[in-house]
Amino acid sequence: MGRGKIEIKRIENSTNRQVTYSKRRGGIMKKAKELTVLCDAQVSLIMFSSTGKFSEYCSPSTTTKNIFDRYQQASGISLWNSHYERMQSHLIKLKEENNNLRREIRQRIGEDLEDLEIEELRGLEQNLESSIKVVRDRKYHVITTQTETYKKKLRSLRDEHAKLIRQLEGQAENGAYGLVDNGGPDYESALVLANGGVHSLHDTGFGIHDLRLA
């Protein structure tokens, strides 16, 4: 008996559908290659499965792009017009956004204000005031942080100075405090520390006004 006629309709079972697709894809690929070899035809075949898997075949004597170009010439249908139009529309939108941003920047520095209505001017004023507040808050934060840093440095220098003074006084009480004027930096440093260490603060870059921060 011959094979029964198969009804052509969508296969509901996903596994069976995928198996059938794989088998028939191989068959149509084979037919495309045979047409290329037997008939010297230029064939381009593109397929996507229901799961999105891409398959293609193109005759060795041509390329898919050449096939598309010949199709456009033969049919009079442009395949790229819609894509080009979308690109042009997107480019126009980007240019408009860029112009708006440039105009906003100019307005924020007091330029290009002639065409603004009173509500627009009020809105711009509010935005500028908000920006000034953010900048001012940041400035005060930086000042506070730097002030605290300077205070910590001053406290550290004072503690170190007091420690050195105590050491020198202890050596003097034990009779081991003797300075030899050899012209070296140790002799000069000891004199400075013994006289209150003022010079050391100048060497660190702090002045009298910095001492008021403590």
Side-chain angles (χ1 to χ4, degrees):
M1 293 179 61
R3 295 177 58 185
K5 185 176 181 180
I6 301 176
E7 183 181 2
I8 302 299
K9 65 177 184 178
R10 184 179 185 272
I11 302 173
E12 297 299 330
N13 184 280
S14 60
T15 302
N16 294 340
R17 185 167 61 245
Q18 187 61 34
V19 171
T20 301
Y21 174 80
S22 297
K23 290 181 179 179
R24 299 211 173 198
R25 178 190 60 189
I28 197 172
M29 287 287 188
K30 181 179 178 181
K31 292 296 183 181
K33 294 177 182 177
E34 290 175 354
L35 279 172
T36 297
V37 175
L38 296 175
C39 306
D40 197 24
Q42 292 185 340
V43 180
S44 177
L45 183 62
I46 298 175
M47 290 183 290
F48 289 93
S49 70
S50 59
T51 59
K53 185 177 180 180
F54 169 69
S55 302
E56 71 169 338
Y57 170 78
C58 187
S59 301
S61 60
T62 187
T63 64
T64 302
K65 181 180 181 304
N66 289 337
I67 293 291
F68 284 159
D69 291 341
R70 292 183 63 181
Y71 170 79
Q72 291 183 104
Q73 292 175 359
S75 64
I77 298 175
S78 175
L79 299 175
W80 316 118
N81 277 347
S82 59
H83 180 64
Y84 176 76
E85 290 173 358
R86 287 195 300 270
M87 290 181 62
Q88 284 292 103
S89 176
H90 183 61
L91 180 60
I92 292 173
K93 183 178 179 181
L94 290 177
K95 286 182 177 180
E96 183 178 354
E97 291 178 355
N98 182 61
N99 290 334
N100 290 337
L101 288 173
R102 288 179 177 273
R103 182 169 58 253
E104 183 177 349
I105 291 174
R106 290 195 302 270
Q107 290 172 351
R108 284 179 176 269
I109 61 176
E111 299 177 359
D112 201 8
L113 304 177
E114 292 79 8
D115 298 331
L116 295 183
E117 300 293 338
I118 182 64
E119 292 301 325
E120 293 175 319
L121 290 170
R122 286 176 179 172
L124 178 60
E125 182 182 20
Q126 292 176 355
N127 290 336
L128 290 174
E129 289 176 351
S130 298
S131 299
I132 291 174
K133 183 179 182 304
V134 172
V135 174
R136 185 179 292 117
D137 291 343
R138 178 58 186 172
K139 182 187 70 173
Y140 289 153
H141 174 75
V142 172
I143 292 174
T144 301
T145 302
Q146 291 182 349
T147 301
E148 291 300 322
T149 301
Y150 293 150
K151 286 181 178 180
K152 290 178 180 179
K153 289 182 178 181
L154 283 172
R155 284 194 294 267
S156 177
L157 287 171
R158 287 172 176 172
D159 292 342
E160 186 67 22
H161 172 257
K163 180 180 177 181
L164 291 174
I165 291 297
R166 288 194 298 270
Q167 290 178 353
L168 291 174
E169 290 176 347
Q171 292 175 0
E173 291 176 358
N174 295 329
Y177 182 72
L179 296 176
V180 179
D181 186 1
N182 56 7
D186 293 338
Y187 177 80
E188 295 178 356
S189 299
L191 286 177
V192 169
L193 290 173
N195 287 309
V198 177
H199 183 65
S200 63
L201 291 177
H202 288 289
D203 290 340
T204 60
F206 294 96
I208 296 301
H209 64 283
D210 293 316
L211 295 177
R212 301 194 188 102
L213 298 175

